Amino acid sequence: MIKEKILVIGACGQIGVELTLELRKIYGGSNVVASDLRAENELLKGTGPYVSLDVMNKEMLHVQVIRQNITQIYLLAAILSATGEKNPNLAWHLNTQSLLNVLEIAKDENVRKVYWPSSIAVFGPTSPKINCPQKTVIEPTTVYGISKFAGEFWCNYFNHRYDIDVRSLRYPGLISYKSEPGGGTTDYAVEIFHDALEEDHFTCFLKEDTYLPMMYMPDAIRATIELMESPVEKISVRTSYNIHGMSFSPKEIAAEIKKHIPGFTVIYEPDYRQQIAESWPQSIDDSVARNNWGWKPKYDLATMTTDMIENLKSEMSARES
Ligand code: NAD
Ligand code: SER
């Protein structure tokens, strides 16, 4: 049996912290090397090795892959949609060059598998709004979406040309309480919980009727690991799989939170992120992922909201005591 040694790049981000902790449960703490530009996240401390790494420095990355005998890489470093629009060149450069660095090193070394997430942001205004299919018109209008679309085809290329086992998911907006979101258009759906609990009030940067595809982090982590552990013959998509959790608008999530916090109020002050949100589908058809490797989400809006509020409340009381 091959002894897996995993490198997580971008391990201190919204997904990275939780994915690293879950991978460490499965493979053992010492077999999952966390890395990031930032200082080590508090939740990762003491759970396994941590290295400071800039994924844009290909030589440094190559040295780490050889030195640590890495067999799998999870590449999570990226600039997300909203931040990307403020610095398009940087977003394009980081999002595409980081992937090429990882794929080229995987080709030359003993790296058996690569995971790289794409996003619903690959879709644009000309894609179907409801139940957007796996294969459809893809004309993204954000630099983030363009970089993810290009990345998907680099993954496909390296799989077909060099037989690298690259796997990918098009995550919807992710909602979590352990680590903060990193500059996306869907971040409002995390911020709304913090403001509801801390101030009973939220100013939303999207209009109240803006529907977007979303997913609770435990489902996203499970989807990632289920995809990566599926037998190779079940993987038919080498660009990136559509996956869906739930779809709601700011008005609907606010109403759900109000069931737990009756005095909660929201005002709507849409900004530049409204245009980004309106360019994306409202819901996603993930039947290919369901049929290929058995994907099925567990959380809906009600169960996610209850879990978020319970966990954030216990974090707040732990901080106060
Ligand atoms: P994030 O911004 O929270 O985390 C990214 C991490 O990468 C950060 O800790 C950052 O310090 C690190 N990083 C940035 N530049 C780096 C570099 N040069 N070298 C090493 N590390 C670097 O992002 P996230 O939300 O955790 O997203 C992870 C991946 O999932 C990204 O590819 C993102 O596009 C994708 N994704 C996220 C969402 C979401 O809702 N969070 C949805 C769709 C897709
Ligand atoms: N959550 C991400 C964003 O809003 C979607 O990829 O950028």
Side-chain angles (χ1 to χ4, degrees):
M1 215 175 105
I2 298 163
K3 185 173 177 286
E4 299 294 350
K5 190 84 186 282
I6 297 172
L7 176 65
V8 183
I9 302 168
C12 296
Q14 189 192 7
I15 302 171
V17 170
E18 297 202 40
L19 186 59
T20 303
L21 291 173
E22 197 55 34
L23 288 169
R24 283 179 174 165
K25 272 192 210 157
I26 300 170
Y27 293 96
S30 60
N31 294 319
V32 180
V33 181
S35 72
D36 204 294
L37 269 185
R38 295 196 233 180
E40 187 176 14
N41 184 285
E42 285 302 316
L43 294 174
L44 295 181
K45 283 186 179 164
T47 66
Y50 180 78
V51 292
S52 180
L53 178 77
D54 180 356
V55 66
M56 300 300 276
N57 185 336
K58 193 175 172 191
E59 274 173 40
M60 198 169 133
L61 174 63
H62 204 156
V63 166
Q64 283 298 339
V65 167
I66 294 169
R67 189 183 290 163
Q68 311 264 3
N69 285 321
I70 297 298
T71 61
Q72 297 189 25
I73 299 179
Y74 286 68
L75 170 58
L76 304 172
I79 291 179
L80 279 78
S81 61
T83 312
E85 289 313 292
K86 290 185 180 157
N87 198 337
N89 262 326
L90 185 68
W92 168 258
H93 194 53
L94 173 66
N95 295 359
T96 51
Q97 195 57 49
S98 60
L99 178 60
L100 284 173
N101 286 353
V102 165
L103 291 173
E104 278 165 11
I105 291 169
K107 169 171 75 68
D108 295 337
E109 300 301 334
N110 189 28
V111 178
R112 296 190 314 108
K113 273 189 188 173
V114 174
Y115 178 75
W116 172 85
S118 182
S119 161
I120 52 145
V122 292
F123 300 117
T126 50
S127 305
K129 286 280 169 216
I130 309 292
N131 292 332
C132 187
Q134 176 70 45
K135 280 195 179 178
T136 186
V137 179
I138 296 193
E139 294 178 334
T141 49
T142 61
V143 69
Y144 175 66
I146 298 169
S147 69
K148 289 295 181 186
F149 190 40
E152 287 189 5
F153 281 88
W154 276 119
C155 292
N156 194 52
Y157 180 84
F158 270 73
N159 173 259
H160 286 92
R161 172 110 196 241
Y162 303 112
D163 206 24
I164 308 286
D165 191 355
V166 199
R167 303 184 184 193
S168 175
L169 297 173
R170 288 174 180 153
Y171 290 132
L174 300 180
I175 301 160
S176 66
Y177 60 89
K178 287 191 184 162
S179 43
E180 284 175 20
T185 304
T186 56
D187 292 8
Y188 92 84
V190 179
E191 290 162 14
I192 195 168
F193 285 99
H194 290 269
D195 287 11
L197 285 162
E198 284 159 24
E199 295 163 31
D200 274 358
H201 180 74
F202 180 60
T203 303
C204 185
F205 59 73
L206 296 183
K207 290 184 192 163
E208 64 175 16
D209 56 353
T210 313
Y211 282 83
L212 284 171
M214 300 279 186
M215 183 175 283
Y216 196 31
M217 190 62 88
D219 271 343
I221 300 298
R222 189 170 52 79
T224 308
I225 288 169
E226 284 178 10
L227 171 74
M228 288 299 276
E229 304 220 320
S230 288
V232 72
E233 61 275 11
K234 294 205 170 193
I235 308 299
S236 71
V237 174
R238 289 299 182 168
T239 49
S240 189
Y241 277 102
N242 276 10
I243 51 162
H244 192 57
M246 60 191 92
S247 178
F248 56 77
S249 64
K251 191 178 173 182
E252 285 179 354
I253 191 174
E256 199 59 44
I257 293 173
K258 236 170 145 35
K259 291 180 188 167
H260 300 260
I261 307 168
F264 179 50
T265 56
V266 184
I267 58 167
Y268 299 92
E269 289 180 1
D271 64 16
Y272 71 100
R273 290 168 280 194
Q274 181 64 33
Q275 203 184 355
I276 302 177
E278 281 176 12
S279 76
W280 293 345
Q282 297 179 359
S283 59
I284 300 290
D285 173 0
D286 59 4
S287 51
V288 179
R290 286 174 186 251
N291 292 335
N292 277 190
W293 45 276
W295 164 242
K296 199 168 180 235
K298 282 192 184 148
Y299 286 88
D300 60 14
L301 177 58
T303 50
M304 177 273 289
T305 302
T306 304
D307 201 65
M308 277 292 284
I309 290 178
E310 275 173 12
N311 279 292
L312 285 171
K313 271 188 180 166
S314 34
E315 271 186 5
M316 281 166 82
S317 48
R319 270 202 307 270
E320 280 157 17
S321 61

